[in-house]
Amino acid sequence: MLCIFLPLSANPMSSINSKTKPNRTKPNFSFGLVRNLFYAMVLANCILCHSPSSETVFQLCDNFNSKLDCTEPKKDFEVVYLDQSKFIKPDPNWEDFGNFLYFTARETPGFRIQFAKQLTTQEKSQFRNHYSANLTLGNTTEEMEGFQISESAVIGFHYLGAILKEEFRHQGRSKEPVELTKLGKIKLVFTIKLPSGESFSKERELELRWEDKKSPH
């Protein structure tokens, strides 16, 4: 929807003849009321066109099958356990840890959007130029690497190791030794814009811990 805002204080007569006096024998109530109602409706529609539609269902998900069904749903906050025995690196730093998350643990925070109806061929083609999905961690924002579309769903994902490593570079800490207990909660923000004009964001928090082989989690 194309949203056009017009100034509420504009007087359509003043631009024609500023010396023209209004006809005071007839009240100007009807025109002003209709005009203001029109502006209110335009404003309401513009607000709605930037809000998530009730026809779309957003789901946090880290893995999918060939049909783009979610096989690894996620909650707004979860603890992610990592196998420390696979992190083979002498005196590892945060850059090494980012590579471990990327190549070995392969942590890929993502999402799935389910539409209420099947997408047409034209709607699918619009995703090429009118769709974006970004992931933000701290002061780092990256365009999400993974994107796939099915008949009625869209999925996106990104590599946690890539964005975490970049954030540590910004902080000047990439060469510091890894202390996972001091990392704390990681806040991720997904920002999505659909070709329909809908744009919205979703937050997710996770905490990385080394897996304890002795006790179940």
Side-chain angles (χ1 to χ4, degrees):
M1 177 184 295
L2 177 62
C3 301
I4 303 175
F5 292 92
L6 299 175
L8 293 178
S9 60
N11 186 345
M13 297 297 295
S14 62
S15 61
I16 300 174
N17 188 345
S18 60
K19 296 181 180 180
T20 303
K21 295 182 180 180
N23 186 350
R24 302 189 183 279
T25 59
K26 295 182 180 180
N28 198 25
F29 171 78
S30 178
F31 173 77
L33 178 61
V34 172
R35 181 189 63 188
N36 290 336
L37 285 174
F38 171 76
Y39 292 149
M41 291 174 63
V42 170
L43 178 61
N45 286 333
C46 288
I47 293 174
L48 287 174
C49 75
H50 292 290
S51 303
S53 169
S54 58
E55 296 181 352
T56 60
V57 178
F58 183 92
Q59 180 185 22
L60 292 171
C61 184
D62 282 10
N63 210 346
F64 314 88
N65 60 20
S66 59
K67 297 181 180 179
L68 302 191
D69 298 321
C70 179
T71 58
E72 192 178 345
K74 293 296 181 179
K75 300 177 182 178
D76 290 353
F77 171 74
E78 282 192 354
V79 176
V80 176
Y81 291 93
L82 305 170
D83 188 349
Q84 192 172 9
S85 66
K86 295 181 179 180
F87 187 31
I88 307 172
K89 190 78 176 181
D91 302 320
N93 55 38
W94 286 115
E95 185 173 356
D96 298 324
F97 182 71
N99 291 333
F100 165 73
L101 289 177
Y102 190 106
F103 294 105
T104 305
R106 300 186 66 81
E107 290 296 327
T108 53
F111 63 85
R112 181 180 187 274
I113 299 177
Q114 175 68 50
F115 300 101
K117 62 179 183 66
Q118 286 194 346
L119 299 172
T120 64
T121 302
Q122 183 180 6
E123 287 172 331
K124 288 182 180 180
S125 65
Q126 288 177 345
F127 272 85
R128 298 173 185 169
N129 301 316
H130 304 287
Y131 165 84
S132 64
N134 296 314
L135 184 64
T136 299
L137 189 162
N139 294 314
T140 303
T141 298
E142 295 184 342
E143 183 178 355
M144 299 183 70
E145 293 188 33
F147 165 76
Q148 292 187 51
I149 185 169
S150 69
E151 295 301 319
S152 60
V154 169
I155 65 103
F157 64 87
H158 197 67
Y159 289 94
L160 180 61
I163 192 169
L164 186 66
K165 187 166 62 173
E166 190 63 26
E167 175 64 8
F168 273 111
R169 285 176 181 171
H170 288 168
Q171 297 177 7
R173 300 173 54 196
S174 60
K175 299 303 180 181
E176 292 182 3
V178 175
E179 295 183 75
L180 203 56
T181 55
K182 294 184 178 181
L183 186 59
K185 294 180 181 179
I186 298 174
K187 181 180 177 180
L188 302 173
V189 181
F190 300 87
T191 305
I192 298 98
K193 180 180 179 181
L194 299 177
S196 62
E198 298 177 60
S199 58
F200 52 96
S201 61
K202 175 68 176 179
E203 294 183 1
R204 174 187 171 188
E205 285 189 334
L206 56 88
E207 185 175 344
L208 301 176
R209 297 181 188 174
W210 296 123
E211 189 175 21
D212 186 355
K213 299 291 185 179
K214 298 179 180 179
S215 59
H217 47 72

